[in-house]
Amino acid sequence: MSVLELRDVEAGYLKGVKVLQGLSLDVGEGEIVCLIGPNGAGKSTVLRTITGILRPTRGHIRFQGRDIGGMRPDQILRLGIAHVPQGHSSFPAMTVHENLLMGAYALRDRRERERRLAEVYERFPMLHERRKERAGNLSGGQQKVLEIGRALMMRPRLMLLDEPSLGLAPKVAQLAFETIRRLRDEAGISILMVEQNARSGLAISDRAYVLELGRERLEGPARDLLAD
C-alpha cells in the first residue's frame, strides 16, 4: 500500500521554468525510498513540492489517498509529513530540550507534548543526557539525530530527509544512517530520502529512484541499483 504517490508532477521556481518534468514515484508503508542523481536533477525540489513549499503546476500528489497538491506547509505537517531539510536546521543557541519542543509547536495539549517528548528521549537516550546543553555544542551527527527527534514530535507517518549525511565524517554519517534504519524497523515510519552518498543511501533503502533532469530514469529495488 502506498503512503505517498506522485503522478506526472511538474514544478519549478520561476514561471515557465520546470525543474520537475512529469515525475512519478511511490513510497510504500514502512518503506525507505532513496532518491539519487546528479546535482540539478531536482531531488530537493521533490521534497519541497511534497511539503508545500513549492506548488505543483501539474500532476497529483496524494498522501494516504488524499490529494495534498497545493496545500500549505503547516496543513501538510499536521497530516503527518515531516521534513528534515539539508544541512543543519537546529537552533544552535537553544538547548536540546528547547529544540525538541519547537517540533511540537502545533500541539496545544501540554500533557500530550510531554508524552511525545518522553518517547523521543526514550528512543534517543543521548538527547536526554544532553538535554540542557546548547544544540550548537553537539557534533554534526548528534545534531542530525536532534533534528530527526524534533521531527518525531509530530508523530509523522512519512519523513522526508534531504541529504542526512551532508558534511558528516564517514563514521558520524553511519550514526545518521543507523538512526534512519531504526525509524523504519522500530517505529514503522515511511521515509523518502535524498542522498548524494549513493552507496550508503541505497544500502539501508528498500527501493530507489535515479533522477535526471526532473524525471525518473531508473527505479527498482535498492539492492539491484546498488549492484548496477
Side-chain angles (χ1 to χ4, degrees):
M1 178 180 177
S2 292
V3 173
L4 178 74
E5 300 176 24
L6 274 67
R7 291 292 178 268
D8 303 316
V9 171
E10 295 181 358
Y13 299 93
L14 298 174
K15 188 175 182 180
V17 179
K18 301 175 188 175
V19 177
L20 304 184
Q21 304 189 47
L23 177 70
S24 296
L25 61 82
D26 295 87
V27 179
E29 188 82 38
E31 185 178 50
I32 298 178
V33 174
C34 189
L35 299 181
I36 61 175
N39 289 333
K43 302 184 298 296
S44 294
T45 303
V46 174
L47 304 190
R48 294 187 186 117
T49 305
I50 294 168
T51 54
I53 297 171
L54 290 176
R55 286 177 173 264
T57 56
R58 182 176 174 272
H60 299 281
I61 303 174
R62 295 186 179 90
F63 175 63
Q64 296 182 315
R66 178 174 180 174
D67 197 329
I68 63 170
M71 292 178 65
R72 298 194 314 267
D74 62 301
Q75 294 173 322
I76 292 171
L77 173 65
R78 287 184 174 88
L79 288 177
I81 299 179
H83 184 193
V84 179
Q86 187 180 112
H88 294 308
S89 62
S90 60
F91 300 96
M94 296 169 63
T95 66
V96 167
H97 186 81
E98 290 167 340
N99 267 271
L100 290 175
L101 289 178
M102 288 295 291
Y105 75 93
L107 279 179
R108 296 185 178 181
D109 187 329
R110 183 176 179 180
R111 290 183 179 178
E112 179 61 23
R113 187 168 62 239
E114 292 301 319
R115 278 194 292 268
R116 296 189 187 187
L117 187 62
E119 290 175 3
V120 171
Y121 280 145
E122 183 178 1
R123 184 171 297 281
F124 303 119
M126 177 274 297
L127 297 180
H128 185 262
E129 292 167 6
R130 306 191 67 174
R131 64 190 182 280
K132 296 181 181 179
E133 293 187 42
R134 291 186 177 185
N137 293 339
L138 302 182
S139 69
Q142 290 169 337
Q143 287 190 47
K144 187 56 63 177
V145 173
L146 172 59
E147 292 159 11
I148 291 172
R150 186 178 62 196
L152 287 176
M153 290 291 288
M154 288 302 292
R155 285 186 181 167
R157 295 291 305 277
L158 172 68
M159 188 172 291
L160 310 179
L161 300 171
D162 197 349
E163 304 223 29
S165 74
L166 182 67
L168 302 181
K171 287 186 178 180
V172 179
Q174 283 307 116
L175 169 64
F177 286 125
E178 182 56 34
T179 300
I180 295 165
R181 193 202 304 266
R182 286 173 55 197
L183 292 179
R184 175 196 60 191
D185 296 345
E186 298 174 9
I189 296 174
S190 302
I191 295 168
L192 178 60
M193 172 177 62
V194 167
E195 184 51 60
Q196 283 281 20
N197 187 338
R199 288 187 180 277
S200 294
L202 292 173
I204 67 164
S205 298
D206 300 294
R207 290 189 305 108
Y209 292 84
V210 179
L211 267 61
E212 185 180 22
L213 298 176
R215 298 179 183 272
E216 70 279 8
R217 294 301 185 189
L218 288 173
E219 181 261 333
R223 63 180 179 274
D224 291 349
L225 293 183
L226 188 58
D228 189 331

